[in-house]
Amino acid sequence: MKKKIIFNSILTLCIIGLTYACYTSIWSEIEFDKEKEMREKAVIASLLNIKDAEELYKRSNKGDYCGTIDSLVDWVANGRALDKIIKEGELTDEQLESGLTEEEAVQKGIIKRDTVWVAPMDILNITNADSLKIIPVGKEGGVFQLRKKQTYNLKQEQFELLLEVRASMDDYLDGLDTKKINTLKAELKKRGKNRGDLMEELPDHTEGTWYGLRIGDLDDANNKLAGNWD
């Protein structure tokens, strides 16, 4: 009888231990996913801010992009952005048929076009340009990586500028459970969500594999600054 009581007590303790282990494991997964989602939302918001800044720069600089994150930050802090163009007068049909361009008409004083420039920070509604380059969560000092390149579109028979801005998962998930991060990477790789790294001069180049969040794609001319989370 006494042995039976001891056995039942041990069995009860084992059940309690297993239940607790299962509970903590499930809770740990829930907490990891919750923190991961919160950090990803913060990174996505920052990427969209960079996208807005690059599109404003492109509109203000004859279709070009800033090629580095530091040059973008400097322009936002110290440059000028195209706000609007005030138009006075329009070309007539006869003038258009004669081949007269709007630029020539402005030079000749036939019509007027006044460009209004403002500070980029005013349009973007930000108070600290330096914050654009800092990944807001995870590793201290983590920064967004930005690159552009020119490619030739055979279908359109013209050159195009491609832009890519990205944040490494190792940066924005820094401090979380390493085992869970590696499991996440393995799942992404299995689903074909990992990315060959063609940006060798960037500091996170790691034997052709990269994981994280980004807008734009240097390998896809049709991306149009879409996010890889869409």
Side-chain angles (χ1 to χ4, degrees), residues 11 23 44-45 53 57 62 92 110 126 148 150 159 166 168 182 197 199 226 228 230:
L11 182 61
Y23 172 79
I44 288 171
Y57 181 91
K62 299 180 180 180
T92 65
I110 299 173
I126 62 174
K148 72 173 181 178
Q150 188 179 66
F159 285 97
R166 64 187 190 174
S168 170
N182 289 335
D197 190 344
M199 301 162 75
N228 66 342
D230 294 330

Side-chain angles (χ1 to χ4, degrees), residues 161-189:
L161 273 178
L162 303 183
L163 182 75
E164 179 177 301
V165 188
R166 64 187 190 174
S168 170
M169 180 181 292
D170 289 331
D171 283 340
Y172 63 79
L173 293 188
D174 183 63
L176 299 186
D177 189 294
T178 302
K179 185 176 180 181
K180 289 182 172 59
I181 294 174
N182 289 335
T183 299
L184 175 61
K185 289 180 179 179
E187 291 174 355
L188 291 172
K189 185 174 183 178

Side-chain angles (χ1 to χ4, degrees), residues 58 65 149-164 195 214 216-226:
K58 184 180 180 182
Y65 283 123
K149 77 173 184 180
Q150 188 179 66
T151 185
Y152 187 74
N153 189 321
L154 291 174
K155 185 178 292 186
Q156 300 294 330
E157 296 186 345
Q158 63 183 18
F159 285 97
E160 293 182 349
L161 273 178
L162 303 183
L163 182 75
E164 179 177 301
R195 155 86 184 263
R214 73 172 188 272
D217 192 334
L218 292 186
D219 298 322
D220 183 5
N222 297 314
N223 178 272
K224 308 301 180 185
L225 292 186

Side-chain angles (χ1 to χ4, degrees), residues 3 7 22 39 61 66 86 92 102 116 143 176 181 212 222:
K3 289 183 178 181
F7 175 78
C22 289
R39 293 190 184 193
N61 292 274
C66 261
I86 300 174
T92 65
E102 186 172 281
V116 179
V143 297
L176 299 186
I181 294 174
N222 297 314

